[in-house]
Amino acid sequence: MSQPLLLLLLLSGFRPYVSTTLRSARTPISRPSLRASYLISLPRLKTSSSSIQAKLYTKATPHPPIPILPIASRTSTRPFATTRALAMADIDAATVLKGKYPAKAHAKRVVEYIHKKIPDATGILYLEGRVDNLLEDSDEPVPFRQRRAFMYLTGVDLPDCALIYDIATEHSTLFIPPVDPDSVIWSGLPLSPEEALANYDVDAVLPSTELNPMLAKAGGPAKSTVFAIAERVSDSVTFLEFDNKDFTLLAEAVEESRVIKDEYEIALIKKANEVSAAAHRAVLGRVKSAQNEYELEGVFVGTSMSQGAKKQAYPSIVASGRSAATLHYVHNDKPLAGKDLLLLDAGAEWNCYAADITRTFPISGRFTEESRAIYEIVLQMQLDCIAMLRDGVSWEEVHLQAHRIAIDGLLSLGVLKGDRKEILAARTSTAFLPHGLGHYLGMDTHDTGGHPNYDDPDPIFRYLRVRLNLPAGSVITVEPGIYFCEFIIRPYLKDPKHAKFIDEKVLDKYWDVGGVRIEDNLLITKDGSVNLTDAVKDPDELEKIILGA
């Protein structure tokens, strides 16, 4: 069976059943051990990948509360070796990526969305790529980042290009810059039309000098509409010949279409994960001897580049000690001496598609009792949430489950006290888990289509970036964490509503833990999920790698 076919089977329903377990490793003294029971279900073939891609996204629906066993009574399991080998082997990114980026299939998907809003829509889709510009007061170029909508419909990661896609004929024309002799002196010859046609999934390639004449021709038929994106049309471009101009629907159609990934997109994310996992492993090998956070950022970025990933999906977070309590810490310049944990949130980009991976590990190679306790709670949160994933699951309910497990864990340590249901109802757990459980992942790290509500009066959902049921074919991050940020927690200690649930004397033992976050990238399937991330997270393995370096 070919690897691409296996991926389609996984997306649609083929279900090899695997039940494995995670061992709890060294148990801190005088507390109930945190243990995880873990189940991965891979799906069963019933529908084609195209039918999955055409699925409408549904708003989150209420799910009955999921009972949680007391932490001490959970079964100890260890899934890493068996499950990882099975799930990761099923996606052969190298084989899939030998083909072209499926730009025309994406265009058809976008048109399908437009037709749901405007059934008789006809005309063209018009998109421009990002223009090459210079930095202010400099002759050096601005670092190039392609417009994601243009990339989605062309697969072209080059500046100064444009696209016309004819809705009726499904014909796509890519416009590329003509040869500029002055530019050739410094930069060499640009991509030729013949090369562009061979490399990209388009029907024709023309120089950009032909753009306005082609637009005039496309606007000739009666009732023709040009769909474009507001403020992303050059001043030199004219749509005078079109009866209708729509500058709103195309952006929406692209953003919603991007939620469900096809085989090629999944392979790109998988490749970005492969590179990023190797870079995370390289950091583990250096952390014990490093002196400063920036050394480890250099190791991660350098390893990524050495494997062909020249861009990072986002600025790396390399946070040691208490700095790990800052969610998007950006300084990456503090000394490591005397610190317990390092939180590394870093992911490479592969052909405009992101990986987003977080690992937290002991700088010395040994967890302290307190840091190990928090790590095990967060790992339990992640594994239990991953086990809930499937087509149609309410992301809000999965997020709530993470809070329930965090509450149970902090109760077992004595940081929290009182009734678990009352703690959840009071939203006291947001002092320790203030962010959402995860977000869609794709061309953007925080990918489109999640419909967050940052004005939600409920603090437990305010920063949840996905507020829908998850469709098969989407890729979501699962990144629970527990943080000890004084700026956030101190006000809770002064508020009687929350203070009655927090034991400040016990809490004082955990400030130096800073924060623990564990993040993987999950492909949603019909009956479960596939973990695209292969970076080590077993606490025993982390210690072994660091100490053995």
Side-chain angles (χ1 to χ4, degrees):
M1 184 181 295
S2 70
Q3 297 291 355
L5 178 57
L6 254 180
L7 177 58
L8 290 177
L9 291 176
L10 282 171
L11 275 172
S12 306
F14 176 68
R15 188 181 183 185
Y17 175 81
V18 181
S19 180
T20 51
T21 54
L22 167 71
R23 182 170 60 84
S24 134
R26 189 175 71 251
T27 304
I29 299 170
S30 70
R31 68 177 183 85
S33 64
L34 272 174
R35 303 178 186 274
S37 77
Y38 183 48
L39 174 69
I40 286 188
S41 298
L42 300 179
R44 181 183 311 263
L45 182 60
K46 286 190 180 176
T47 55
S48 68
S49 62
S50 61
S51 67
I52 290 175
Q53 293 162 3
K55 180 185 291 291
L56 292 175
Y57 318 122
T58 54
K59 191 162 180 64
T61 54
H63 284 245
I66 296 175
I68 307 176
L69 295 174
I71 289 177
S73 69
R74 290 178 180 146
T75 306
S76 171
T77 64
R78 189 182 184 93
F80 294 95
T82 304
T83 301
R84 184 171 59 189
L86 173 65
M88 302 304 292
D90 291 327
I91 300 173
D92 186 350
T95 298
V96 175
L97 297 180
K98 289 178 181 178
K100 291 184 181 181
Y101 182 88
K104 291 194 68 177
H106 292 175
K108 291 177 183 178
R109 194 185 307 174
V110 168
V111 170
E112 287 175 5
Y113 185 94
I114 290 173
H115 278 153
K116 290 171 187 173
K117 302 286 185 176
I118 308 174
D120 60 347
T122 187
I124 67 165
L125 311 182
Y126 176 76
L127 285 166
E128 294 182 7
R130 187 168 294 280
V131 175
D132 223 353
N133 286 316
L134 300 179
L135 293 165
E136 290 184 2
D137 303 318
S138 173
D139 62 357
E140 293 297 324
V142 175
F144 180 75
R145 185 179 190 274
Q146 186 60 281
R147 286 173 171 165
R148 270 23 190 176
F150 183 80
M151 177 69 191
Y152 188 69
L153 269 70
T154 65
V156 177
D157 192 21
L158 299 171
D160 305 312
C161 298
L163 173 77
I164 293 176
Y165 179 83
D166 189 291
I167 293 174
T169 64
E170 300 181 351
H171 186 275
S172 60
T173 304
L174 175 68
F175 296 85
I176 62 175
V179 175
D180 177 359
D182 289 336
S183 177
V184 171
I185 296 173
W186 305 103
S187 305
L189 284 168
L191 191 74
S192 71
E194 293 77 17
E195 290 171 324
L197 196 60
N199 291 344
Y200 303 117
D201 186 21
V202 295
D203 297 307
V205 180
L206 294 173
S208 54
T209 50
E210 298 297 315
L211 178 57
N212 274 328
M214 290 296 292
L215 284 170
K217 181 180 178 181
K223 298 183 180 180
S224 186
T225 301
V226 55
F227 293 91
I229 298 178
E231 300 181 359
R232 294 192 181 181
V233 178
S234 301
D235 292 341
S236 60
V237 170
T238 177
F239 298 143
L240 291 177
E241 287 79 6
F242 288 90
D243 290 341
N244 304 297
K245 304 168 187 65
D246 188 313
F247 293 99
T248 59
L249 187 53
L250 179 56
E252 176 188 325
V254 171
E255 289 181 359
E256 295 300 327
S257 297
R258 283 169 54 183
V259 171
I260 294 178
K261 276 45 177 195
D262 53 41
E263 178 186 61
Y264 199 94
E265 292 178 286
I266 294 165
L268 288 169
I269 298 171
K270 173 64 165 53
K271 179 63 177 179
N273 267 267
E274 290 173 353
V275 171
S276 301
H280 273 269
R281 180 67 176 248
V283 172
L284 291 176
R286 282 286 300 278
V287 64
K288 195 169 181 290
S289 61
Q291 303 298 311
N292 195 288
E293 293 166 349
Y294 52 62
E295 296 177 54
L296 301 177
E297 181 177 18
V299 170
F300 188 92
V301 174
T303 303
S304 299
M305 293 187 71
S306 71
Q307 298 205 17
K310 298 182 69 174
K311 295 181 181 179
Q312 296 294 294
Y314 53 94
S316 298
I317 298 167
V318 189
S320 60
R322 294 194 179 196
S323 295
T326 300
L327 301 183
H328 285 177
Y329 174 80
V330 295
H331 301 293
N332 301 349
D333 61 0
K334 301 296 188 293
L336 302 177
K339 310 286 182 60
D340 180 8
L341 298 178
L342 185 99
L343 187 153
L344 175 63
D345 186 339
E349 182 179 287
W350 193 267
N351 196 22
C352 293
Y353 279 76
D356 187 0
I357 303 172
T358 306
R359 292 293 183 263
T360 311
F361 43 86
I363 295 169
S364 69
R366 292 288 186 194
F367 286 97
T368 65
E369 179 178 330
E370 290 76 20
S371 63
R372 180 62 175 251
I374 299 303
Y375 189 93
E376 287 186 349
I377 296 171
V378 175
L379 184 57
Q380 177 82 59
M381 293 161 69
Q382 196 204 39
L383 294 178
D384 281 16
C385 289
I386 288 174
M388 295 174 66
L389 299 181
R390 66 186 185 280
D391 179 30
V393 71
S394 165
W395 187 238
E396 293 178 5
E397 181 57 35
V398 181
H399 174 69
L400 281 175
Q401 183 75 338
H403 274 270
R404 295 183 187 114
I405 300 168
I407 290 168
D408 279 352
L410 293 174
L411 281 169
S412 75
L413 299 178
V415 175
L416 293 178
K417 57 186 179 179
D419 182 80
R420 61 197 294 273
K421 292 183 180 179
E422 292 179 5
I423 294 170
L424 181 62
R427 301 318 199 211
T428 304
S429 56
T430 58
F432 303 93
L433 174 53
H435 62 75
L437 180 61
H439 49 81
Y440 283 141
L441 181 72
M443 282 191 283
D444 288 309
T445 305
H446 298 153
D447 215 25
T448 58
H451 300 279
N453 177 13
Y454 299 125
D455 295 321
D456 195 322
D458 188 339
I460 212 165
F461 294 118
R462 186 173 301 145
Y463 300 115
L464 189 61
R465 296 181 187 272
V466 177
R467 300 300 297 268
L468 306 172
N469 296 344
L470 304 183
S474 61
V475 176
I476 191 114
T477 66
V478 181
E479 49 180 303
I482 291 178
Y483 310 88
F484 297 92
C485 178
E486 292 199 57
F487 181 81
I488 294 175
I489 294 175
R490 292 294 181 192
Y492 282 74
L493 297 174
K494 296 177 182 179
D495 184 345
K497 174 184 175 182
H498 301 291
K500 62 183 179 181
F501 296 124
I502 303 173
D503 189 321
E504 191 170 354
K505 288 184 179 179
V506 178
L507 173 63
D508 284 342
K509 297 192 301 180
Y510 291 90
W511 293 117
D512 286 338
V513 172
V516 173
R517 182 165 66 251
I518 307 172
E519 178 180 16
D520 290 352
N521 307 158
L522 279 298
L523 168 65
I524 303 301
T525 62
K526 183 179 183 298
D527 294 323
S529 65
V530 175
N531 196 332
L532 303 176
T533 303
D534 198 26
V536 174
K537 60 185 176 184
D538 182 332
D540 285 343
E541 289 297 316
L542 290 171
E543 290 186 335
K544 186 183 300 183
I545 293 168
I546 295 168
L547 291 172

